[in-house]
Amino acid sequence: MRVLLIGANGYLGRFVADRLLADPAVQLTALGRGDDADVRFDLASGSPGALTRFLDAVHPGVVVNCAGATRGGARELTRHNTVAVATVCEALRRSGCGARLVQIGCGAEYGPSQPGSSTAEDAVPRPGGPYGVSKLAATELVLGSGLDAVVLRVFSPAGPGTPAGSPLGRLAEAMRRAMQSGDGELKLGGLGVQRDFIDVRDVARAVHAASLSAAQGVINIGSGRAVRLRDAAAVLARVAGYGGTLHELDGPPGPMRAPIGHPRPEPDQAGPVAYPYPDGCGSWQQADVRTARDRLGWRPRINLEESLADIWMEAACRI
């Protein structure tokens, strides 16, 4: 099977590349903006015609698109997340290769959901920010393209390679600095938010499964379990061996101190979040992953503690 991977140097793309390369039946070609890509091509500025000529030359059976941007203003996000996908879809329509498209979407396309609920693929998307809007627009382009295509809506990826600017990455970096300086207290905000964390290696397995399957439409990729960021901080402290205290900057008025390894009881009413989780999904998100199980034969294998241990291992290397 000849696979064209777009965005192989990104956070998710690197693990998808590793997973595909481990399959002896896969011939992988990487397309991207970096010098180490097999073919250099910028989806945000390149023409569909140029990409079509490349597709006709390589003739892949599957195109996996992991490219995109998570940061920036609305214009930049639209260019990299929406216009780029429009280019891929148009090039595939023009090409004679007949390739299947596996598009990486995100849980932010759904927007805020009711606490305690699991979001299934038939939920009406209501993204709460420009990132989710740009990714939802890309999903709609794929679904309306008439191509053999599937969109994997990945919830909150975690594990090795987690960007330092992500909430878990910032948490690990703050803990590293505290340990390096001997500080016995961490001051953090937004720890009441609950997210569905899924290891990047499990995401790569899902992409591999989707490449081999005939499934179409949207499929959620998550753990199926929401975890409070405060609890993730407790696990991270345990694997890091940090015994300090946590000073939460959100919650009811006044300083609140609790051992980071022993989260405090929840108040009846949550206070304002000082530093909101930056995906526009409010206080809660949890995926319904039954479709992935039924249509891809996929289940998550790596638990959050292992993901956090790998995040910490990379952070600790900077001490």
Side-chain angles (χ1 to χ4, degrees):
M1 180 174 66
R2 187 167 292 142
V3 178
L4 173 64
L5 175 59
I6 304 172
N9 294 323
Y11 173 38
L12 295 179
R14 292 195 299 272
F15 291 93
V16 171
D18 288 344
R19 179 71 187 186
L20 293 173
L21 286 169
D23 184 346
V26 170
Q27 294 179 333
L28 184 66
T29 301
L31 182 149
R33 292 179 291 170
D35 292 335
D36 51 353
D38 295 323
V39 178
R40 293 191 65 181
F41 189 86
D42 187 348
L43 286 179
S45 59
S47 70
L51 184 57
T52 299
R53 289 190 292 274
F54 175 72
L55 290 171
D56 287 339
V58 174
H59 212 77
V62 178
V63 174
V64 177
N65 183 26
C66 293
T70 58
R71 294 171 172 269
R75 177 177 295 180
E76 184 179 5
L77 290 169
T78 300
R79 261 197 337 120
H80 290 287
N81 294 338
T82 310
V83 174
V85 173
T87 297
V88 173
C89 290
E90 181 59 25
L92 282 169
R93 276 195 297 263
R94 296 183 189 182
S95 172
C97 69
R100 171 173 172 77
L101 174 60
V102 179
Q103 165 71 15
I104 305 302
C106 70
E109 297 175 41
Y110 290 116
S113 56
Q114 185 68 28
S117 67
S118 292
T119 303
E121 290 85 355
D122 59 358
V124 177
R126 294 187 176 89
Y131 171 63
V133 169
S134 68
K135 293 293 287 185
L136 177 60
T139 292
E140 294 299 332
L141 285 169
V142 171
L143 297 180
S145 66
L147 299 169
D148 174 13
V150 63
V151 178
L152 303 182
R153 274 189 179 144
V154 177
F155 277 62
S156 297
T162 293
S166 71
L168 291 180
R170 288 199 305 270
L171 184 59
E173 177 62 15
M175 199 166 293
R176 181 195 70 81
R177 290 180 179 176
M179 294 178 72
Q180 188 175 31
S181 64
D183 192 346
E185 182 179 70
L186 278 176
K187 297 181 179 180
L188 301 165
L191 297 185
V193 167
Q194 298 183 69
R195 286 294 180 270
D196 188 327
F197 296 106
I198 179 69
D199 193 274
V200 287
R201 292 158 292 194
D202 280 332
V203 174
R205 287 178 44 248
V207 172
H208 187 204
S211 300
L212 298 172
S213 80
Q216 296 186 341
V218 174
I219 300 178
N220 290 340
I221 303 299
S223 69
R225 182 173 71 95
V227 174
R228 198 177 302 276
L229 196 56
R230 184 183 304 117
D231 297 336
V235 174
L236 188 63
R238 185 170 69 250
V239 300
Y242 177 71
T245 24
L246 172 66
H247 186 128
E248 294 191 59
L249 301 180
D250 54 322
M256 306 193 76
R257 298 167 186 260
I260 196 167
H262 300 82
R264 62 175 172 79
E266 292 303 310
D268 291 334
Q269 296 293 329
V273 176
Y275 300 104
Y277 204 94
D279 57 5
C281 294
S283 63
W284 170 277
Q285 196 172 53
Q286 177 174 285
D288 182 331
V289 294
R290 289 175 294 179
T291 301
R293 179 196 64 200
D294 296 341
R295 298 175 65 189
L296 300 181
W298 175 91
R299 287 180 174 84
R301 293 179 181 171
I302 300 174
N303 62 37
L304 182 58
E305 183 165 353
E306 183 175 345
S307 301
L308 290 170
D310 288 331
I311 292 172
W312 173 249
M313 186 177 297
E314 292 182 346
C317 290
R318 297 192 289 271
I319 293 179

